[in-house]
Amino acid sequence: MRRKVIGQMAVERSGQSAFSIYRQNRPGQIAASGNLDWRLLILFLVLAALPMLIVTVPGAADYPNHLARHHIFATIGRSTGLDRYFAVEWRWVGNLGIDLPALVLTPLLGVELATRLVSAMIAPLTVLGIFLLSRSVHGRITASAMLALPFSLAQPFLFGFLNYCLSVALALMCAAAWNFDRKHDVWRSLGFGLAALIIWTAHIMGWAILLILVAGTELAAVRNGRDLVHRMVRAAPLLLPAIPLALWRANGTGRPFWYDPNFVMSKVMNFVTALKGLSLPFDLGMTIVICGAAILALLWAGGRKLAPSLAISGAALLFGAICLPTTMLGSWGADLRLAPVAMMVALMAIGSASDPQRERQLFVLGACLFAMRAGVTSLQWWQADRVLEARLLLLDEVPRGSRLGFIAIETQCRNWALTPDRKIAAYAVTRRDAFANTLFQIPGADLMTLRKESDRARWFDGSQDIRPRCPTGTPDLEALRARMAAMKADGFDVLWVAGVKPPEVPALAGYTVARTNKIDTLLVKNRTDRNIRRSLAIPAI
């Protein structure tokens, strides 16, 4: 009982920061008292950052496209080959999470290192946000929070939804700060209003998650109708991003909402695949273990088994993940991205076990699962890094400023692992100032656009894919021939065919094989070096 009262005082203490609460913890106490050794905290943060730090080519599927965008942002208008193919419209949109810090650091570190370091901070910030939110609600870091840690490396992160993932981490920390600081004055309102604007700028969905987390906190504490109005007024500064949102979407284009035709199955799979990305047995096995541990944690929880604030927020997020369309405001995977966050928050709502020994067991299980998740991710990315860098040696044969057409041939009808193979050609943008047909085009939500109308109509992310013939799982060589012919007709200087052995790649009139490896073939248009340089001269923009 005394422990519970102390925990409640920690939540209600006006103005007390998360840092001061951590300082009160004595090293060595972990599960039974809810304290976390600061050395263990640092270890968790390092483990979360490790996958991005030990490689030069991170394994997140969309990462090459983010990197290419950052290079375009940093070099556009400087008379590079990129000026011929891309345009940048600088404006304030709710999708700039890692773009802005990477742009600031690029002049100091170079674009590849800057992007990798900024991306490496996402998972550690998510881990820190989980710890702080648990402490702010339960008065301690619970075992359920430890079981939630693997979701810091869930499918959205491994897919490469980096702006979104950063906004989620910031939303968790901001919600924790809201719980810690219960006073109401002008400076607090301004501070949280600014925080909401920052999170919205990172990604609009992070702002929505923040609103749900704060709404859960306030609704759980409502005593009557007047109190509800008072709490709504207190939370009003968090609505400030509605102003830039209205200005941004007033000029939005494209299909704003789209549901997967197979609605029920797609929603079920969003939760089943919450940890998808490494290997099917490992990811599904970890998901099953976490769900089983969550049931145990709920059964073993003492007193009030669920924290009302997180229970309300978790239920709202779960409902949102079910109801959200697959594409929202031009951004694909809205429901897929939200599902792991909803599971994480719902899990964190579970209170501490009444038996300290059981709480300690669940705590250690969560720590081990997270260490496994981070360790296997790091190992797989490190092993793939050497292969990816070897494949990128083909770019040495790509003339600077050229048009590179990339074709990724799939040979598996069902592929679980998430890798950057489908978008690896985006490194041609970064390393050769070349055009590549893998970059995002999100109408109304993207600063970078393609200059040529034909490129905007056809040659963007997705145009590289050649699906296999199923159920045999054989490459579709007829589709490959048609795609190569289309790229030739549209003036591509270089074609990179990936996924099949070089002898299987059809010959293309007017192109010569410049370089190959086990699964890559690079074809370059037949020109003398002098003609290439002349044809690639940069016109004035």
Side-chain angles (χ1 to χ4, degrees):
M1 177 62 70
R2 181 174 180 270
R3 203 176 289 139
K4 182 177 178 181
V5 171
I6 293 175
Q8 185 64 30
M9 290 173 60
V11 175
E12 297 296 335
R13 192 177 300 152
S14 175
Q16 186 173 18
S17 68
F19 179 70
S20 65
I21 288 180
Y22 271 110
R23 287 177 56 189
Q24 294 172 7
N25 298 340
R26 289 183 297 169
Q29 295 178 309
I30 301 179
S33 65
N35 293 330
L36 186 67
D37 190 321
W38 64 268
R39 291 165 294 190
L40 197 57
L41 171 62
I42 292 175
L43 176 61
F44 287 139
L45 299 181
V46 171
L47 280 175
L50 198 61
M52 284 282 182
L53 294 179
I54 64 174
V55 297
T56 56
V57 182
D62 276 352
Y63 181 87
N65 278 355
H66 282 283
L67 177 63
R69 282 159 42 91
H70 297 165
H71 182 64
I72 293 168
F73 292 158
T75 60
I76 200 73
R78 297 185 181 180
S79 299
T80 67
L82 300 176
D83 293 325
R84 304 173 65 207
Y85 307 121
F86 305 104
V88 175
E89 180 185 354
W90 297 108
R91 55 202 176 96
W92 192 11
V93 301
N95 187 26
L96 299 175
I98 68 169
D99 297 346
L100 295 180
L103 186 60
V104 170
L105 292 176
T106 291
L108 302 174
L109 305 175
V111 67
E112 292 202 28
L113 181 57
T115 299
R116 193 154 48 85
L117 289 179
V118 172
S119 301
M121 293 298 101
I122 295 174
L125 289 176
T126 306
V127 169
L128 186 59
I130 291 172
F131 285 155
L132 293 175
L133 187 58
S134 176
R135 188 76 196 222
S136 70
V137 171
H138 295 284
R140 60 193 293 168
I141 297 173
T142 62
S144 62
M146 297 302 297
L147 291 171
L149 289 185
F151 289 103
S152 63
L153 297 170
Q155 180 177 187
F157 181 79
L158 299 181
F159 209 119
F161 297 134
L162 301 181
N163 292 340
Y164 167 75
C165 291
L166 178 59
S167 74
V168 171
L170 297 177
L172 294 174
M173 291 191 290
C174 186
W178 181 275
N179 295 336
F180 280 128
D181 189 357
R182 305 303 296 165
K183 64 183 179 181
H184 186 201
D185 57 33
V186 173
W187 292 110
R188 179 184 187 274
S189 298
L190 289 175
F192 279 105
L194 177 61
L197 286 172
I198 292 173
I199 294 169
W200 180 87
T201 302
H203 198 279
I204 181 175
M205 285 187 66
W207 172 57
I209 290 169
L210 171 64
L211 293 181
I212 291 173
L213 291 172
V214 171
T217 296
E218 298 305 317
L219 287 174
V222 167
R223 296 184 294 273
N224 50 50
R226 180 179 297 179
D227 187 38
L228 175 62
V229 173
H230 173 70
R231 291 179 183 278
M232 291 174 63
V233 171
R234 290 179 70 244
L238 298 177
L239 297 177
L240 271 178
I243 298 174
L245 172 62
L247 297 174
W248 170 34
R249 296 315 303 181
N251 298 318
T253 58
R255 181 169 56 180
F257 303 103
W258 176 79
Y259 282 93
D260 190 303
N262 194 356
F263 179 85
V264 174
M265 182 55 65
S266 69
K267 296 300 180 179
V268 171
M269 291 306 296
N270 284 343
F271 291 98
V272 172
T273 62
L275 293 179
K276 176 182 176 179
L278 301 177
S279 72
L280 191 151
F282 178 78
D283 297 336
L284 277 185
M286 181 165 288
T287 303
I288 292 171
V289 171
I290 291 174
C291 290
I295 294 173
L296 281 180
L298 186 59
L299 294 174
W300 290 348
R304 187 169 55 186
K305 293 183 178 295
L306 294 174
S309 60
L310 288 181
I312 293 171
S313 299
L317 290 169
L318 289 170
F319 181 78
I322 294 172
C323 295
L324 277 180
T326 304
T327 298
M328 190 172 80
L329 299 179
S331 182
W332 178 83
D335 53 350
L336 177 147
R337 304 179 199 206
L338 189 59
V341 179
M343 295 171 70
M344 176 180 68
V345 173
L347 180 59
M348 292 175 62
I350 302 174
S352 301
S354 55
D355 183 349
Q357 182 63 28
R358 289 177 170 179
E359 177 75 358
R360 185 178 294 107
Q361 291 170 353
L362 292 173
F363 193 101
V364 172
L365 175 60
C368 291
L369 289 173
F370 174 67
M372 289 175 59
R373 185 76 181 172
V376 172
T377 304
S378 300
L379 178 62
Q380 291 196 2
W381 283 16
W382 177 76
Q383 291 174 335
D385 181 54
R386 293 175 293 175
V387 176
L388 293 171
E389 278 291 6
R391 294 179 65 192
L392 287 172
L393 292 177
L394 272 72
L395 295 181
D396 293 343
E397 305 297 330
V398 175
R400 287 195 172 276
S402 59
R403 280 173 63 82
L404 170 65
F406 182 62
I407 304 175
I409 304 171
E410 297 184 34
T411 58
Q412 297 182 16
C413 295
R414 294 184 179 181
N415 189 17
W416 180 273
L418 297 173
T419 68
D421 296 62
R422 286 182 52 253
K423 299 170 186 179
I424 191 175
Y427 278 86
V429 178
T430 304
R431 299 184 179 184
R432 306 300 292 175
D433 287 334
F435 176 87
N437 60 306
T438 67
L439 301 193
F440 310 125
Q441 282 291 277
I442 308 174
D446 205 342
L447 302 185
M448 185 277 298
T449 57
L450 307 180
R451 282 193 180 275
K452 291 180 62 176
E453 185 177 348
S454 60
D455 290 340
R456 292 195 298 272
R458 185 170 188 179
W459 302 117
F460 52 87
D461 188 15
S463 65
Q464 74 272 29
D465 297 330
I466 300 289
R467 303 299 181 187
R469 295 182 182 274
C470 293
T472 58
T474 55
D476 190 343
L477 297 183
E478 290 301 319
L480 172 59
R481 290 189 182 92
R483 191 71 52 84
M484 293 173 67
M487 287 181 169
K488 175 184 176 181
D490 217 351
F492 281 88
D493 304 292
V494 184
L495 270 61
W496 178 355
V497 181
V500 295
K501 297 178 181 178
E504 299 183 63
V505 178
L508 186 64
Y511 289 77
T512 301
V513 175
R515 195 161 184 169
T516 64
N517 61 35
K518 292 181 179 180
I519 59 169
D520 297 296
T521 302
L522 195 75
L523 300 97
V524 179
K525 186 175 288 188
N526 294 335
R527 296 175 180 174
T528 64
D529 290 344
R530 180 179 299 178
N531 287 338
I532 290 177
R533 286 193 297 269
R534 187 175 300 163
S535 68
L536 298 179
I538 309 303
I541 301 298

